Amino acid sequence: MIKKYILPLIISAIIIVNLSGCSNGILKKSTASIITSSMQNKESKSKDSTGADSNKQINSDIQEKNHNKSTPETNTDIKILKDTKKNEVSKKRKVIVIDAGHGGKATLEKEPIAPGSTVMKEKDVGGAAGVSTGTPEYVVNLNVAVKLKNYLSKAGYKVIMTRTSNNESLGNIARAEVGNKTNADLVIRIHADSFTDSSAKGASMLVPDGVGYSKDISSISKKYGRIILNTLVSRVGMKSKGIITRTDLTGFNWSKVPVILIEMGFLSNPDEDRLLSSDSYQDQIAQGLFKGIQKALLGAES
Ligand SMILES: [Zn+2]
Protein backbone atom coordinates (compact mmCIF):
# COMPACT_ATOMS: atom_id res chain seq x y z
CA MET A 1 0.00 0.00 0.00
CA ILE A 2 2.69 2.45 0.94
CA LYS A 3 5.21 1.10 -1.59
CA LYS A 4 2.78 1.62 -4.46
CA TYR A 5 2.81 5.37 -3.88
CA ILE A 6 6.50 5.98 -3.53
CA LEU A 7 7.31 6.45 -7.24
CA PRO A 8 4.43 8.88 -7.95
CA LEU A 9 5.41 10.75 -4.86
CA ILE A 10 9.01 11.08 -5.88
CA ILE A 11 7.78 12.31 -9.25
CA SER A 12 5.40 14.78 -7.60
CA ALA A 13 8.23 16.10 -5.52
CA ILE A 14 10.49 16.52 -8.55
CA ILE A 15 7.89 18.30 -10.64
CA ILE A 16 7.04 20.74 -7.96
CA VAL A 17 10.62 21.35 -7.02
CA ASN A 18 11.43 21.91 -10.70
CA LEU A 19 8.50 24.24 -11.22
CA SER A 20 9.02 26.31 -8.15
CA GLY A 21 12.74 25.93 -7.63
CA CYS A 22 11.86 26.23 -3.98
CA SER A 23 14.52 27.11 -1.54
CA ASN A 24 12.85 29.14 1.14
CA GLY A 25 10.62 27.99 3.98
CA ILE A 26 7.37 29.25 2.53
CA LEU A 27 7.74 27.48 -0.76
CA LYS A 28 8.88 24.34 0.98
CA LYS A 29 5.79 24.36 3.11
CA SER A 30 3.48 24.84 0.16
CA THR A 31 5.08 22.08 -1.88
CA ALA A 32 4.95 19.69 1.05
CA SER A 33 1.27 20.53 1.45
CA ILE A 34 0.58 19.95 -2.20
CA ILE A 35 2.29 16.60 -2.12
CA THR A 36 0.44 15.47 0.97
CA SER A 37 -2.75 16.73 -0.62
CA SER A 38 -2.40 14.51 -3.64
CA MET A 39 -1.68 11.55 -1.42
CA GLN A 40 -4.63 12.44 0.73
CA ASN A 41 -6.98 12.29 -2.22
CA LYS A 42 -5.62 8.92 -3.24
CA GLU A 43 -6.04 7.60 0.24
CA SER A 44 -9.58 8.73 0.59
CA LYS A 45 -10.47 6.47 -2.33
CA SER A 46 -9.07 3.41 -0.59
CA LYS A 47 -10.13 4.38 2.89
CA ASP A 48 -13.23 2.14 2.90
CA SER A 49 -11.00 -0.90 2.99
CA THR A 50 -8.51 0.31 5.57
CA GLY A 51 -10.09 3.14 7.53
CA ALA A 52 -6.70 3.68 9.12
CA ASP A 53 -5.78 7.24 9.94
CA SER A 54 -2.34 6.20 11.11
CA ASN A 55 -1.39 5.37 7.51
CA LYS A 56 -1.79 9.02 6.63
CA GLN A 57 0.83 10.09 9.10
CA ILE A 58 3.23 7.39 7.91
CA ASN A 59 2.66 8.36 4.30
CA SER A 60 3.13 12.03 5.11
CA ASP A 61 6.45 11.20 6.69
CA ILE A 62 7.53 9.23 3.63
CA GLN A 63 6.48 12.09 1.39
CA GLU A 64 8.47 14.58 3.41
CA LYS A 65 11.54 12.36 3.06
CA ASN A 66 11.00 11.85 -0.65
CA HIS A 67 10.63 15.56 -1.12
CA ASN A 68 14.25 15.93 -0.13
CA LYS A 69 15.53 13.31 -2.57
CA SER A 70 16.14 13.85 -6.25
CA THR A 71 16.09 11.15 -8.90
CA PRO A 72 15.96 11.78 -12.66
CA GLU A 73 12.64 11.14 -14.41
CA THR A 74 11.58 11.46 -18.02
CA ASN A 75 9.45 14.23 -19.42
CA THR A 76 6.82 11.64 -20.39
CA ASP A 77 6.48 10.50 -16.82
CA ILE A 78 6.13 14.06 -15.72
CA LYS A 79 3.49 14.84 -18.33
CA ILE A 80 1.38 11.82 -17.40
CA LEU A 81 1.60 12.73 -13.78
CA LYS A 82 0.71 16.34 -14.47
CA ASP A 83 -2.40 15.29 -16.38
CA THR A 84 -3.62 12.85 -13.77
CA LYS A 85 -2.83 15.08 -10.85
CA LYS A 86 -4.03 18.32 -12.35
CA ASN A 87 -7.03 18.70 -10.08
CA GLU A 88 -5.52 17.05 -7.05
CA VAL A 89 -2.50 19.34 -6.70
CA SER A 90 -4.72 22.40 -6.72
CA LYS A 91 -6.12 21.45 -3.31
CA LYS A 92 -3.89 22.43 -0.44
CA ARG A 93 -4.11 20.25 2.64
CA LYS A 94 -4.88 22.29 5.73
CA VAL A 95 -3.36 21.59 9.13
CA ILE A 96 -5.64 21.91 12.14
CA VAL A 97 -4.45 21.60 15.73
CA ILE A 98 -7.14 20.64 18.23
CA ASP A 99 -6.34 21.50 21.82
CA ALA A 100 -8.65 19.77 24.30
CA GLY A 101 -8.53 22.04 27.35
CA HIS A 102 -7.08 20.99 30.73
CA GLY A 103 -6.19 17.46 31.77
CA GLY A 104 -6.71 14.86 34.48
CA LYS A 105 -4.58 16.71 36.97
CA ALA A 106 -3.87 20.39 37.54
CA THR A 107 -0.33 21.73 37.08
CA LEU A 108 0.21 24.70 39.36
CA GLU A 109 3.75 25.41 38.17
CA LYS A 110 3.86 28.88 36.61
CA GLU A 111 4.88 30.12 33.18
CA PRO A 112 5.07 33.62 31.60
CA ILE A 113 1.78 34.67 29.99
CA ALA A 114 3.57 36.11 26.94
CA PRO A 115 7.05 36.00 25.41
CA GLY A 116 9.28 38.33 27.44
CA SER A 117 6.58 38.94 30.06
CA THR A 118 7.29 38.92 33.78
CA VAL A 119 3.64 38.12 34.52
CA MET A 120 3.36 34.48 35.49
CA LYS A 121 0.32 32.24 35.47
CA GLU A 122 -0.31 28.62 36.47
CA LYS A 123 0.11 26.12 33.66
CA ASP A 124 -3.30 24.58 34.34
CA VAL A 125 -5.45 25.33 37.36
CA GLY A 126 -7.82 22.57 36.25
CA GLY A 127 -11.16 22.99 34.55
CA ALA A 128 -14.73 23.23 35.74
CA ALA A 129 -17.04 20.31 36.59
CA GLY A 130 -20.70 19.76 35.75
CA VAL A 131 -23.02 21.10 38.46
CA SER A 132 -25.51 18.24 37.96
CA THR A 133 -23.52 15.43 36.40
CA GLY A 134 -20.18 16.11 38.08
CA THR A 135 -18.47 15.42 34.73
CA PRO A 136 -15.07 17.15 34.65
CA GLU A 137 -14.54 19.71 31.92
CA TYR A 138 -11.43 17.96 30.61
CA VAL A 139 -13.54 14.87 29.81
CA VAL A 140 -16.14 16.85 27.83
CA ASN A 141 -13.37 18.77 26.07
CA LEU A 142 -11.56 15.64 24.91
CA ASN A 143 -14.76 13.89 23.82
CA VAL A 144 -15.69 16.80 21.56
CA ALA A 145 -12.08 17.15 20.37
CA VAL A 146 -11.94 13.49 19.26
CA LYS A 147 -15.28 13.78 17.42
CA LEU A 148 -14.11 16.96 15.70
CA LYS A 149 -10.84 15.27 14.73
CA ASN A 150 -12.79 12.46 13.06
CA TYR A 151 -14.89 14.87 10.99
CA LEU A 152 -11.84 16.87 9.91
CA SER A 153 -9.71 13.81 9.12
CA LYS A 154 -12.45 12.30 6.96
CA ALA A 155 -12.68 15.58 5.04
CA GLY A 156 -8.93 15.47 4.28
CA TYR A 157 -7.50 17.85 6.88
CA LYS A 158 -4.29 16.98 8.64
CA VAL A 159 -5.24 17.00 12.32
CA ILE A 160 -2.89 17.15 15.28
CA MET A 161 -4.14 16.80 18.87
CA THR A 162 -2.29 18.45 21.75
CA ARG A 163 -3.47 15.60 23.97
CA THR A 164 -5.23 12.32 23.32
CA SER A 165 -5.87 11.08 26.84
CA ASN A 166 -7.04 12.47 30.16
CA ASN A 167 -3.79 11.44 31.84
CA GLU A 168 -1.79 14.14 30.11
CA SER A 169 -1.27 17.56 31.63
CA LEU A 170 0.25 20.28 29.52
CA GLY A 171 1.06 23.90 30.10
CA ASN A 172 -0.32 26.51 27.74
CA ILE A 173 3.05 27.40 26.20
CA ALA A 174 3.52 23.74 25.31
CA ARG A 175 0.05 23.71 23.73
CA ALA A 176 0.81 26.83 21.70
CA GLU A 177 4.10 25.31 20.55
CA VAL A 178 2.22 22.42 18.93
CA GLY A 179 0.53 24.89 16.60
CA ASN A 180 3.75 26.85 16.01
CA LYS A 181 5.85 23.79 15.20
CA THR A 182 3.32 22.37 12.77
CA ASN A 183 2.67 25.81 11.24
CA ALA A 184 -1.04 25.13 11.68
CA ASP A 185 -3.64 26.89 9.56
CA LEU A 186 -5.79 27.00 12.68
CA VAL A 187 -5.53 26.01 16.34
CA ILE A 188 -8.89 25.43 17.98
CA ARG A 189 -8.93 25.18 21.75
CA ILE A 190 -11.93 23.35 23.21
CA HIS A 191 -13.31 24.39 26.61
CA ALA A 192 -16.53 24.64 28.62
CA ASP A 193 -17.47 27.57 30.81
CA SER A 194 -18.51 27.98 34.45
CA PHE A 195 -19.99 30.87 36.40
CA THR A 196 -21.38 31.60 39.85
CA ASP A 197 -24.83 32.37 38.40
CA SER A 198 -26.28 29.03 37.30
CA SER A 199 -28.61 30.70 34.81
CA ALA A 200 -25.67 31.78 32.62
CA LYS A 201 -25.66 29.78 29.40
CA GLY A 202 -24.50 29.76 25.80
CA ALA A 203 -21.32 29.56 23.79
CA SER A 204 -18.65 32.20 23.42
CA MET A 205 -15.59 32.41 21.23
CA LEU A 206 -12.40 33.74 22.76
CA VAL A 207 -9.85 35.28 20.42
CA PRO A 208 -6.38 36.82 20.92
CA ASP A 209 -5.96 40.57 21.03
CA GLY A 210 -2.49 41.45 19.91
CA VAL A 211 -0.22 40.53 22.80
CA GLY A 212 3.10 38.72 22.30
CA TYR A 213 3.37 36.71 19.13
CA SER A 214 -0.39 36.91 18.67
CA LYS A 215 -0.25 40.50 17.40
CA ASP A 216 0.41 39.09 13.95
CA ILE A 217 -2.50 36.66 13.99
CA SER A 218 -5.21 38.42 16.01
CA SER A 219 -7.22 39.79 13.10
CA ILE A 220 -7.31 36.51 11.15
CA SER A 221 -8.12 34.67 14.40
CA LYS A 222 -11.05 37.03 15.04
CA LYS A 223 -12.31 36.53 11.52
CA TYR A 224 -12.16 32.73 11.82
CA GLY A 225 -13.61 32.85 15.34
CA ARG A 226 -16.63 34.87 14.25
CA ILE A 227 -17.46 32.54 11.35
CA ILE A 228 -17.01 29.39 13.41
CA LEU A 229 -19.05 30.66 16.38
CA ASN A 230 -21.91 31.79 14.12
CA THR A 231 -21.96 28.45 12.32
CA LEU A 232 -21.85 26.52 15.60
CA VAL A 233 -24.68 28.36 17.36
CA SER A 234 -26.97 28.32 14.35
CA ARG A 235 -26.46 24.58 13.74
CA VAL A 236 -26.76 23.49 17.39
CA GLY A 237 -29.41 26.07 18.30
CA MET A 238 -27.55 27.37 21.33
CA LYS A 239 -27.32 30.90 22.66
CA SER A 240 -24.39 32.96 21.43
CA LYS A 241 -22.48 35.08 23.91
CA GLY A 242 -20.39 36.46 21.09
CA ILE A 243 -16.71 37.09 20.49
CA ILE A 244 -14.56 37.91 23.49
CA THR A 245 -11.04 39.29 22.97
CA ARG A 246 -8.46 38.28 25.57
CA THR A 247 -4.99 39.59 26.25
CA ASP A 248 -4.31 37.40 29.28
CA LEU A 249 -4.33 33.90 27.85
CA THR A 250 -0.91 32.26 27.68
CA GLY A 251 -2.05 29.86 24.96
CA PHE A 252 -2.95 32.83 22.76
CA ASN A 253 0.02 35.07 23.45
CA TRP A 254 2.55 32.36 22.57
CA SER A 255 0.81 31.45 19.33
CA LYS A 256 2.31 32.39 15.97
CA VAL A 257 -0.57 30.81 14.07
CA PRO A 258 -4.32 31.61 14.02
CA VAL A 259 -5.87 30.47 17.28
CA ILE A 260 -9.37 30.52 18.77
CA LEU A 261 -10.95 29.12 21.93
CA ILE A 262 -14.53 27.91 22.03
CA GLU A 263 -16.41 27.86 25.31
CA MET A 264 -19.10 25.32 24.39
CA GLY A 265 -21.58 26.22 27.13
CA PHE A 266 -21.77 26.40 30.92
CA LEU A 267 -21.12 23.41 33.15
CA SER A 268 -22.53 25.56 35.97
CA ASN A 269 -25.91 25.57 34.21
CA PRO A 270 -27.78 22.31 35.01
CA ASP A 271 -29.39 22.06 31.55
CA GLU A 272 -26.23 22.76 29.60
CA ASP A 273 -24.25 20.49 31.90
CA ARG A 274 -26.57 17.56 31.08
CA LEU A 275 -26.41 18.36 27.38
CA LEU A 276 -22.62 18.66 27.39
CA SER A 277 -22.34 15.22 28.97
CA SER A 278 -24.46 13.61 26.27
CA ASP A 279 -22.79 11.89 23.36
CA SER A 280 -25.29 13.21 20.81
CA TYR A 281 -24.91 16.85 21.92
CA GLN A 282 -21.13 16.54 21.88
CA ASP A 283 -21.48 15.21 18.35
CA GLN A 284 -23.66 18.16 17.33
CA ILE A 285 -21.05 20.56 18.68
CA ALA A 286 -18.26 18.74 16.85
CA GLN A 287 -20.25 18.91 13.62
CA GLY A 288 -21.00 22.60 14.12
CA LEU A 289 -17.32 23.35 14.71
CA PHE A 290 -16.34 21.24 11.71
CA LYS A 291 -18.76 23.08 9.41
CA GLY A 292 -17.59 26.40 10.80
CA ILE A 293 -13.93 25.54 10.24
CA GLN A 294 -14.64 24.55 6.67
CA LYS A 295 -16.50 27.78 6.05
CA ALA A 296 -13.78 29.89 7.70
CA LEU A 297 -10.86 28.29 5.90
CA LEU A 298 -12.47 27.95 2.49
CA GLY A 299 -13.79 31.50 2.70
CA ALA A 300 -10.30 32.71 3.59
CA GLU A 301 -8.89 31.20 0.40
CA SER A 302 -11.43 32.58 -2.03
ZN1 LIG B 1 -11.53 25.46 30.50
Side-chain angles (χ1 to χ4, degrees):
M1 164 99 176
I2 291 167
K3 219 174 180 180
K4 197 165 116 188
Y5 295 124
I6 289 177
L7 180 61
L9 282 167
I10 292 171
I11 299 167
S12 297
I14 291 160
I15 290 169
I16 297 159
V17 169
N18 284 346
L19 291 175
S20 63
C22 69
S23 59
N24 66 42
I26 295 164
L27 284 172
K28 271 182 186 161
K29 181 185 181 265
S30 73
T31 50
S33 302
I34 291 164
I35 294 163
T36 52
S37 164
S38 62
M39 172 53 82
Q40 168 60 26
N41 286 349
K42 274 195 157 196
E43 282 200 338
S44 60
K45 284 171 200 153
S46 61
K47 195 166 176 205
D48 290 349
S49 59
T50 66
D53 284 345
S54 58
N55 285 344
K56 286 181 189 168
Q57 189 59 53
I58 294 163
N59 285 331
S60 293
D61 293 341
I62 290 169
Q63 290 153 30
E64 293 288 344
K65 280 175 193 155
N66 286 339
H67 177 59
N68 296 326
K69 289 178 189 167
S70 272
T71 44
E73 294 296 338
T74 67
N75 287 337
T76 316
D77 287 341
I78 291 170
K79 180 161 184 347
I80 291 166
L81 195 77
K82 271 165 94 173
D83 290 344
T84 54
K85 300 280 181 242
K86 206 170 181 181
N87 295 324
E88 295 177 37
V89 291
S90 65
K91 186 187 163 198
K92 185 180 170 234
R93 194 174 177 200
K94 300 283 188 188
V95 177
I96 311 287
V97 168
I98 306 176
D99 177 30
H102 311 289
K105 77 174 172 37
T107 311
L108 300 179
E109 191 188 328
K110 291 187 173 181
E111 58 187 0
I113 69 158
S117 174
T118 53
V119 181
M120 305 291 280
K121 205 164 151 183
E122 288 85 1
K123 285 187 172 180
D124 182 5
V125 290
V131 68
S132 311
T133 65
T135 311
E137 184 194 336
Y138 61 82
V139 171
V140 178
N141 296 343
L142 185 60
N143 286 350
V144 174
V146 169
K147 291 176 194 301
L148 175 58
K149 175 192 185 282
N150 291 338
Y151 284 117
L152 289 165
S153 297
K154 277 182 201 147
Y157 293 84
K158 180 173 181 179
V159 182
I160 295 137
M161 309 275 285
T162 57
R163 69 176 178 96
T164 54
S165 86
N166 286 322
N167 299 323
E168 295 164 75
S169 57
L170 285 153
N172 286 305
I173 295 176
R175 291 172 194 263
E177 282 302 319
V178 176
N180 294 345
K181 281 181 182 145
T182 54
N183 199 15
D185 292 284
L186 176 68
V187 176
I188 179 163
R189 310 178 62 197
I190 312 270
H191 283 253
D193 233 332
S194 185
F195 194 55
T196 46
D197 179 354
S198 65
S199 68
K201 63 174 187 175
S204 41
M205 184 66 83
L206 277 50
V207 294
D209 199 26
V211 173
Y213 296 146
S214 85
K215 58 182 174 297
D216 297 329
I217 46 88
S218 65
S219 69
I220 187 77
S221 302
K222 278 174 201 168
K223 181 183 168 184
Y224 288 165
R226 194 165 288 119
I227 295 169
I228 295 166
L229 178 65
N230 290 343
T231 309
L232 172 73
V233 296
S234 71
R235 287 186 70 93
V236 179
M238 54 168 67
K239 182 186 168 189
S240 174
K241 291 178 73 71
I243 299 286
I244 300 167
T245 55
R246 294 283 293 261
T247 56
D248 60 330
L249 298 184
T250 311
F252 281 173
N253 300 338
W254 285 86
S255 182
K256 296 173 179 173
V257 295
V259 57
I260 57 173
L261 187 155
I262 183 70
E263 296 279 10
M264 303 177 286
F266 283 78
L267 289 171
S268 48
N269 178 299
D271 296 333
E272 283 200 331
D273 168 30
R274 276 187 287 271
L275 285 169
L276 286 164
S277 273
S278 95
D279 190 69
S280 63
Y281 192 74
Q282 290 171 0
D283 189 61
Q284 280 185 62
I285 293 178
Q287 275 192 49
L289 293 172
F290 164 60
K291 294 286 179 189
I293 289 170
Q294 279 204 307
K295 198 170 170 186
L297 295 187
L298 294 176
E301 274 201 329
S302 60

